[in-house]
Amino acid sequence: MSSHQNEAVVIAIAGASASGKSLIAQTIYRKLRKDFSSQEIGVISEDRYYRDQTHLPMEERVLTNYDHPNAMEHELLVKHLTALKAGHAVELPNYSYTEHTRMAETTEFKPKKVIILEGILLLNVPELRELMHTSVFMDTPLDICLIRRLKRDVAERGRSMESVLAQYQATVRPMFMQFIEPSKQYADIIVPRGGKNVIAIDLLTARIRQFLKN
Ligand SMILES: Nc1ncnc2c1ncn2[C@@H]1O[C@H](COP(=O)(O)OP(=O)(O)O)[C@@H](O)[C@H]1O
Ligand SMILES: Nc1ccn([C@@H]2O[C@H](COP(=O)(O)O)[C@@H](O)[C@H]2O)c(=O)n1
């Protein structure tokens, strides 16, 4: 892991789907935004970097294994983080879980002092690990993750209960065992229970606050 003076500090939060990565990232972000501007801190989700599949019909898009590292364009994420660290703005892709592909519009993201990065496979990629200052793994039990994913994906991602359970058995759980769980060894901090772990939130917020003050 590396850090150079004045370079953006990247704090990465990895872990299973629905382990609370997004919740903890947003909670820390909101707490810090009371004292710091959006020019100083921002959040990037790895999900934005799912590959573009607009050239494929929907019947084929639904067959993609979205929990395998090949489903993500990690090269683009490395390129974007490198550009941000060098002080250049980037155009983040926008992803649609209902269309299973990227949307035409992008979102401009300007350089920040601190970037919170969250996603399932971040710690699997050596080139990404090189760009991280601090890495966190959300160690939420898988049965709890499944319950939360089921509720979230039906309410927010346009899925049926049957499709969530079929996908969980076919790819989500096996890929977690193969790629995500083993990547825990690369984390500096392991957070049990999920996105409402108050002590973990306070510790990470305090650490990031130090970077923002400098
Ligand atoms: N500790 C918790 N208690 C209750 N609900 C939680 C907790 N952590 C996360 N959730 C909920 O579970 C769902 C999945 O969490 P999310 O942060 O989206 O997971 P991830 O980003 O890891 O996929 C969300 O609806 C979130 O609000
Ligand atoms: N078209 C897609 C793309 C991704 N997924 C699932 O999203 C999960 C990762 O996002 P989290 O916010 O849950 O961490 C991953 O497990 C994919 O299975 C999808 O279902 N469809």
Side-chain angles (χ1 to χ4, degrees):
M1 313 235 170
S2 66
S3 145
H4 298 104
Q5 237 182 350
N6 300 327
E7 251 188 14
V9 169
V10 176
I11 312 287
I13 304 177
S17 171
S19 58
K21 305 179 296 295
S22 171
L23 182 64
I24 200 169
Q26 289 302 329
T27 304
I28 293 168
Y29 175 77
R30 278 196 293 271
K31 278 168 86 90
L32 288 165
R33 281 284 283 107
K34 288 181 183 150
D35 300 314
F36 300 95
S37 75
S38 60
Q39 289 168 339
E40 293 172 287
I41 181 162
V43 179
I44 298 179
S45 171
E46 184 193 31
D47 290 6
R48 288 178 175 274
Y49 293 83
Y50 273 112
R51 291 185 190 279
D52 188 39
Q53 298 196 122
T54 32
H55 57 291
L56 295 178
M58 189 55 105
E59 312 85 80
E60 283 186 43
R61 290 182 201 172
V62 294
L63 299 177
T64 299
N65 178 349
Y66 292 103
D67 292 83
H68 191 282
N70 288 349
M72 309 259 193
E73 197 179 351
H74 283 127
E75 318 81 79
L76 183 61
L77 177 53
V78 169
K79 197 173 147 193
H80 281 179
L81 290 176
T82 307
L84 287 163
K85 277 178 172 255
H88 306 298
V90 298
E91 291 294 326
L92 300 182
N94 286 316
Y95 190 74
S96 164
Y97 296 100
T98 44
E99 299 297 324
H100 301 284
T101 194
R102 287 194 195 154
M103 293 183 273
E105 320 74 49
T106 54
T107 300
E108 189 189 39
F109 190 92
K110 293 193 171 137
K112 319 275 175 208
K113 277 189 179 173
V114 172
I115 297 167
I116 305 175
L117 189 61
E118 62 87 11
I120 54 173
L121 289 160
L122 295 173
L123 296 182
N124 269 88
V125 185
E127 295 82 356
L128 283 175
R129 292 202 301 268
E130 281 296 309
L131 295 166
M132 297 168 190
H133 185 282
T134 304
S135 54
V136 179
F137 189 93
M138 302 300 289
D139 205 10
T140 312
L142 267 197
D143 56 344
I144 303 291
C145 293
L146 173 58
I147 294 168
R148 290 180 184 159
R149 176 165 169 146
L150 194 51
K151 284 191 195 162
R152 182 198 61 192
D153 284 9
V154 170
E156 296 170 22
R157 294 190 181 176
R159 308 294 164 90
S160 65
M161 188 180 84
E162 291 72 21
S163 79
V164 175
L165 295 179
Q167 185 186 9
Y168 183 79
Q169 283 185 289
T171 55
V172 179
R173 191 176 189 284
M175 296 299 104
F176 172 83
M177 296 301 179
Q178 191 175 342
F179 296 108
I180 302 174
E181 216 280 332
S183 76
K184 188 162 73 174
Q185 65 181 299
Y186 300 113
D188 300 312
I189 299 165
I190 295 177
V191 176
R193 294 189 300 281
K196 292 186 187 171
N197 184 323
V198 177
I199 303 293
I201 291 167
D202 286 351
L203 286 172
L204 286 165
T205 306
R207 182 168 172 81
I208 296 173
R209 195 178 284 279
Q210 291 304 318
F211 296 127
L212 290 166
K213 277 186 184 160
N214 291 332

